[in-house]
Amino acid sequence: MKMFKKGGRLIVKQIFVLFVGISVFFSTCFIYQKTHGREEAVYHIHRRLQNGEPSGYGERTASGNNDTRMESTVSNQHEKDIKISVTLPSRGKTERLSKRKQIKNASRLSLYKERKVQISSTCRKYGLGKFPLQGDSEEEDPHGYRAMGDSYPWPPEKSLMYQESWHLLYCWIHKVASSSWSTVFFNLKGKDVPPSRLHEAAQQFSIPSSKLPGAISNSLVFTIVRHPFERLVSAYRDKFEFSKKYAYIYTKYASKILGLKTPAEAERARRPTFSEFADYLLRVPVQQFNDHWVPYWLHCHVCEMEYDIIGKMETIEDDMEF
């Protein structure tokens, strides 16, 4: 009888231990699934964006006073915002960095506004684009700028590259980091294009004139410029000093610069000097300029379109960070 009682108590203990073990197992599985799913959601929001992936799919919300990362809920609809920062350092450090960055961004923003004011005032002064001359000077055009603008055959959309997913509208300018920006646009599309094919970007990301007004309203409109004389020197060295003599631009324009009868003669003749190149630009109408040295204001239609950002090659790192 005693043996039976002891055996019964042993069985009860074993059943109890088994029950506790099963409870702990299922509790552990439930906690793991819940935390693992949350970790996956947080990782999805805080991961770095990959090539070709547009921003604006996540809706960020801060939670908790001591959190060092932002919690998020994923939106099913594509948001129109163009912002990317997803992971923050510790709270105190974040506030200090944020304050410094706000001051720097405010300074850059003020600079961009000054550039826009300078452009609009110059366009208004000479009656260019959407800024007609006023008063007695309405018919005057002593520098020929209005004649240049009226006769320039290049429509605005021909100079623009459009990334609709990323809300970017960029006026490319040869010899001003245009190849670098072509690479960026291809990467945002998820394409790795060799340097020999970067010239295809202008066609790949072209925008029809019918979509241009909407694109201007919904995009960051920007371009990058550099000192005009430096650009001319860069164009000369690339297309005439170091270029192959059988290259298209060399044969077409070297013959005109040197006063030769046919482009074929340029391959056998000496290379033009920079002074001869500059003299050529002064004596031919702007309509005959190649897009490697056509003036910025004509190529990007700055008196007809309003740009959000006018960056400079000399400060391109700060411009891109902004």
Side-chain angles (χ1 to χ4, degrees):
M1 188 69 180
K2 290 182 178 179
M3 293 288 293
F4 178 78
K5 288 182 178 180
K6 288 182 178 179
R9 285 196 294 269
L10 182 61
I11 293 173
V12 170
K13 288 181 178 179
Q14 290 175 340
I15 293 173
F16 177 76
V17 171
L18 180 63
F19 175 78
V20 172
I22 293 173
S23 300
V24 171
F25 174 78
F26 281 109
S27 299
T28 302
C29 291
F30 175 76
I31 293 172
Y32 172 78
Q33 290 177 349
K34 185 173 181 180
T35 57
H36 181 66
R38 183 174 179 179
E39 288 173 355
E40 287 185 339
V42 171
Y43 171 76
H44 176 76
I45 298 303
H46 292 285
R47 65 187 171 80
R48 294 186 179 278
L49 298 176
Q50 302 298 314
N51 289 344
E53 180 178 3
S55 61
Y57 284 91
E59 185 178 353
R60 300 194 298 263
T61 58
S63 65
N65 293 330
N66 298 321
D67 289 346
T68 59
R69 297 171 71 87
M70 294 186 295
E71 301 290 325
S72 300
T73 58
V74 180
S75 173
N76 292 325
Q77 296 182 347
H78 180 241
E79 301 294 329
K80 298 291 186 181
D81 301 325
I82 316 171
K83 294 328 87 162
I84 304 180
S85 180
V86 290
T87 304
L88 297 177
S90 62
R91 185 175 178 83
K93 189 175 181 180
T94 298
E95 292 177 351
R96 290 195 297 271
L97 289 176
S98 176
K99 187 173 293 185
R100 288 201 301 268
K101 191 169 184 179
Q102 286 180 4
I103 295 174
K104 185 176 181 179
N105 283 351
S107 176
R108 298 300 299 177
L109 185 60
S110 176
L111 178 62
Y112 297 139
K113 288 181 178 179
E114 290 177 6
R115 292 175 183 174
K116 292 177 68 173
V117 169
Q118 178 67 29
I119 290 173
S120 61
S121 63
T122 302
C123 293
R124 184 176 291 105
K125 176 181 178 181
Y126 296 106
L128 304 174
K130 61 182 181 181
F131 300 95
L133 282 172
Q134 303 294 328
D136 298 335
S137 60
E138 186 172 353
E139 299 300 325
E140 296 180 4
D141 188 20
H143 303 286
Y145 295 146
R146 276 190 293 162
M148 292 182 195
D150 293 340
S151 60
Y152 187 63
W154 200 289
E157 63 272 11
K158 195 173 180 180
S159 306
L160 298 171
M161 288 165 49
Y162 183 41
Q163 259 286 9
E164 186 171 9
S165 301
W166 292 80
H167 311 283
L168 297 175
L169 191 62
Y170 162 61
C171 179
W172 52 268
I173 299 176
H174 285 313
K175 314 314 302 175
V176 193
S178 59
S179 296
S180 299
W181 279 106
S182 295
T183 301
V184 170
F185 269 57
F186 274 122
N187 287 343
L188 294 179
K189 197 74 172 179
K191 295 184 178 182
D192 187 11
V193 176
S196 60
R197 293 182 54 196
L198 288 177
H199 65 277
E200 299 175 7
Q203 179 64 34
Q204 179 78 24
F205 300 102
S206 62
I207 177 174
S209 58
S210 59
K211 296 183 66 175
L212 185 56
I216 293 175
S217 301
N218 299 319
S219 303
L220 177 72
V221 187
F222 71 101
T223 191
I224 307 294
V225 299
R226 69 189 296 188
H227 195 290
F229 291 166
E230 290 184 0
R231 178 176 174 240
L232 284 181
V233 171
S234 178
Y236 165 77
R237 303 193 74 183
D238 182 37
K239 299 305 177 184
F240 300 107
E241 185 176 1
F242 300 127
S243 176
K244 301 294 184 182
K245 285 190 172 184
Y246 56 77
Y248 171 74
I249 291 181
Y250 183 91
T251 56
K252 179 177 180 179
Y253 292 97
S255 59
K256 297 178 180 180
I257 294 172
L258 296 173
L260 304 177
K261 293 181 179 180
T262 64
E265 294 182 61
E267 295 187 34
R268 300 186 296 271
R270 63 174 178 81
R271 292 178 180 270
T273 65
F274 180 76
S275 296
E276 291 171 327
F277 173 62
D279 289 339
Y280 164 78
L281 296 180
L282 293 174
R283 70 173 182 261
V284 300
V286 72
Q287 297 92 325
Q288 298 180 19
F289 280 20
N290 182 270
D291 52 21
H292 284 80
W293 48 80
V294 72
Y296 304 140
W297 70 275
L298 287 172
H299 181 74
C300 289
H301 298 265
V302 298
C303 293
E304 300 172 34
M305 290 175 50
E306 183 176 358
Y307 284 79
D308 299 307
I309 301 293
I310 303 288
K312 289 186 176 182
M313 195 165 179
E314 294 82 358
T315 59
I316 193 168
E317 291 187 4
D318 290 334
D319 294 326
M320 292 184 70
E321 182 181 351
F322 178 84

